[in-house]
Amino acid sequence: MNERETWATRAGFILAAVGSAVGLGNIWQFPFKTAQFGGASFLIVYVIAALGIGLPAILAEFVIGRRSNLNTISAFEKLGHKNWRFVGALGLFTGFWILSYYSVVGGWVLRYIGGSLTGAYFGAPAEYFGQISAGMDALALHAVFMALVVVIVAAGIEDGIEKATKLMVPSIIVILGALAIFAFTLPGASEGYAYFLSPDFDALFANLGDIVPFAVGQAFFSLSLGMGAMITYASYIDGDQSLFGDGITIVFLNSFVGILAGLVVLPLLFAQGIDPNTSGAGAVFISVAGAFANIPGGQAIGLIFFLVVLIAALSSAISLLEVVVSWAIDNYDVTRPQMAILLGGVIFLLGVPSALDTAWLGWFDTLAYKFFLPVGVLGILIFVAWVYGAPALDEVMKGSGLGEGVGLTWLWLARTLVIVAVVATLVLGFQTLFLGESPAIIPPI
Ligand code: PHE
């Protein structure tokens, strides 16, 4: 069996986890949904969902990971609850599932980096997207994106993931910040801010039944919860740092990047008079890309923008591959590079349908965020809060420096409100999945 690695520093773990959280979800889903669902008033709902539901859930994953120092499946055995391995196994499966199409979208981003250099999408953004999003080109770039993910994961925890994300996460924040300043200088920017952030309580209350489950689901997807990514990353923690402190930092930075992304894309769209009332792939690859065609220096700005999207997508994708690689090397006498290549190859194959037809991609995505992730979160919460119980409380307190009351609040929140919220999200998700509302062709990631 291989010697198990650890993070070199606490900051290394936090940045890797932020890298996992900050991804495509923050850049194209979050800003548009915020605007559509009531601006600042939606932000309040989202922050409550992220802190009240996402934070207790992320802590539950940290507890399993740090307590066991093992991958998502073996962790349950080590904690003395072999029968709960199915939760870990579901997580592993979800990791395969999500990465297969996430990588296809990563391929599109690579394509747009090239397209910015040559100005290829400037003339007819919608047609361009139609041409490159499915088919042999998409397949080839899906392979290139997967190869990049494999290279980082193969290099290991400290030398691969930690070093990469230490560079990537600050770059995402700095570059998005610079783009936000640039967007501020564009004429019409203030209308973009008004659309993004003005509170609209009427819109919020009129659609509360849709908005709350969306906010909760978005918090899970965006915080990479429900498929073992945070369990796996926490399993490489060496020592007793405050899990509360780490969790709050991650939730805060993740929301911050979403807001920053909104401060970039919405002024850009308004400056060009482009209707921002779309979300998903169309918003970024058609509307935002279209805006670059007309602004001064658009080619360079487009290049920088898609570079930042690529970095965000890569730092999330590596956490998805790490979940499965970690399981393989904990259990079999194989090397990390061998497994990264082999499992990366399997995931590439699973992504072939999504690369050939965006309808498949939309279907994979819908199933992941409406079904697999919430079910995974539910399993983890029931296990940690009800089945594991007292040792979980002990683990979450270790190194926190907080009073027992905080831990108990966490445990009881997880046992009650959080579980109820997850079940409600699942039920509502099911309704829209099977009774009406056709799954969006434009993937909601
Ligand atoms: N959190 C990532 C995003 O916002 C996606 C992701 C989901 C990554 C689940 C890992 C696990 O894009």
Side-chain angles (χ1 to χ4, degrees):
M1 181 104 41
N2 308 286
E3 167 91 24
R4 214 163 189 276
E5 295 181 77
T6 57
W7 304 108
T9 61
R10 178 177 180 189
F13 162 68
I14 295 178
L15 288 175
V18 171
S20 169
V22 168
L24 298 167
N26 304 58
I27 298 184
W28 76 43
Q29 180 77 338
F30 183 78
F32 296 97
K33 287 293 176 184
T34 300
Q36 197 180 323
F37 284 157
S41 35
F42 173 76
L43 267 188
I44 300 172
V45 177
Y46 179 76
V47 169
I48 294 173
L51 283 176
I53 296 169
L55 181 62
I58 209 173
L59 287 172
E61 294 210 10
F62 287 170
V63 161
I64 302 179
R66 188 172 73 173
R67 189 80 167 183
S68 65
N69 288 127
L70 279 175
N71 64 83
T72 45
I73 297 187
S74 317
F76 290 91
E77 280 170 51
K78 172 119 179 239
L79 300 183
H81 295 274
K82 220 171 162 189
N83 293 340
W84 283 82
R85 272 177 316 180
F86 76 92
V87 174
L90 173 69
L92 206 74
F93 171 80
T94 310
F96 273 98
W97 184 269
I98 296 184
L99 187 50
S100 76
Y101 70 86
Y102 205 83
S103 165
V104 173
V105 181
W108 297 349
V109 179
L110 282 170
R111 184 62 186 235
Y112 272 76
I113 289 178
S116 305
L117 278 170
T118 57
Y121 60 78
F122 281 20
E127 284 74 12
Y128 184 80
F129 179 67
Q131 280 162 15
I132 67 100
S133 55
M136 283 304 153
D137 275 19
L139 194 61
L141 287 162
H142 162 47
V144 175
F145 185 87
M146 260 326 285
L148 292 173
V149 177
V150 166
V151 166
I152 300 175
V153 170
I157 293 300
E158 191 180 331
D159 289 333
I161 300 180
E162 185 164 350
K163 286 215 172 103
T165 48
K166 227 180 204 162
L167 191 74
M168 287 167 146
V169 172
S171 318
I172 295 171
I173 296 175
V174 170
I175 302 175
L176 271 184
L179 285 174
I181 294 171
F182 168 78
F184 175 75
T185 65
L186 296 172
S190 55
E191 284 165 56
Y193 299 135
Y195 178 77
F196 181 32
L197 292 172
S198 344
D200 182 350
F201 286 98
D202 291 342
L204 179 67
F205 290 120
N207 300 300
L208 214 55
D210 285 340
I211 290 176
V212 172
F214 173 78
V216 176
Q218 172 74 8
F220 291 155
F221 186 88
S222 188
L223 287 168
S224 307
L225 294 173
M227 45 70 64
M230 292 299 173
I231 296 180
T232 306
Y233 272 11
S235 76
Y236 297 114
I237 296 178
D238 181 24
D240 290 344
Q241 64 212 43
S242 166
L243 295 181
F244 281 99
D246 294 359
I248 288 173
T249 311
I250 295 160
V251 170
F252 170 78
L253 284 174
N254 186 50
S255 310
F256 177 71
V257 172
I259 294 173
L260 207 52
L263 296 178
V264 174
V265 293
L266 291 162
L268 260 174
L269 295 183
F270 273 85
Q272 296 306 317
I274 296 172
D275 175 16
N277 219 351
T278 47
S279 60
V284 169
F285 293 106
I286 301 173
S287 309
V288 179
F292 295 132
N294 301 315
I295 55 172
Q299 243 162 295
I301 301 289
L303 178 69
I304 296 169
F305 176 80
F306 283 111
L307 206 61
V308 104
V309 181
L310 177 70
I311 299 172
L314 263 179
S315 63
S316 297
I318 54 182
S319 71
L320 286 156
L321 184 59
E322 181 58 30
V323 170
V324 290
V325 166
S326 158
W327 161 76
I329 57 179
D330 277 346
N331 286 290
Y332 304 100
D333 203 8
V334 285
T335 67
R336 173 177 274 279
Q338 285 167 345
M339 273 302 119
I341 295 170
L342 178 72
L343 295 171
V346 173
I347 293 169
F348 166 76
L349 291 178
L350 186 62
V352 170
S354 299
L356 296 180
D357 186 345
T358 50
W360 275 99
L361 199 158
W363 183 75
F364 264 70
D365 184 44
T366 306
L367 223 59
Y369 86 97
K370 284 200 171 155
F371 183 63
F372 294 136
L373 289 181
V375 169
V377 179
L378 189 62
I380 286 163
L381 283 168
I382 295 177
F383 173 75
V384 170
W386 285 107
V387 179
Y388 198 45
L393 185 59
D394 174 58
E395 187 62 37
V396 88
M397 292 308 294
K398 228 189 268 168
S400 74
L402 298 167
E404 183 84 9
V406 181
L408 279 172
T409 310
W410 165 71
L411 190 66
W412 279 100
L413 260 181
R415 282 184 173 170
T416 54
L417 185 72
V418 184
I419 288 183
V420 171
V422 181
V423 172
T425 307
L426 257 172
V427 170
L428 286 157
F430 253 70
Q431 274 173 356
T432 50
L433 200 57
F434 297 115
L435 316 167
E437 239 190 66
S438 59
I441 290 285
I442 291 175
I445 10 178

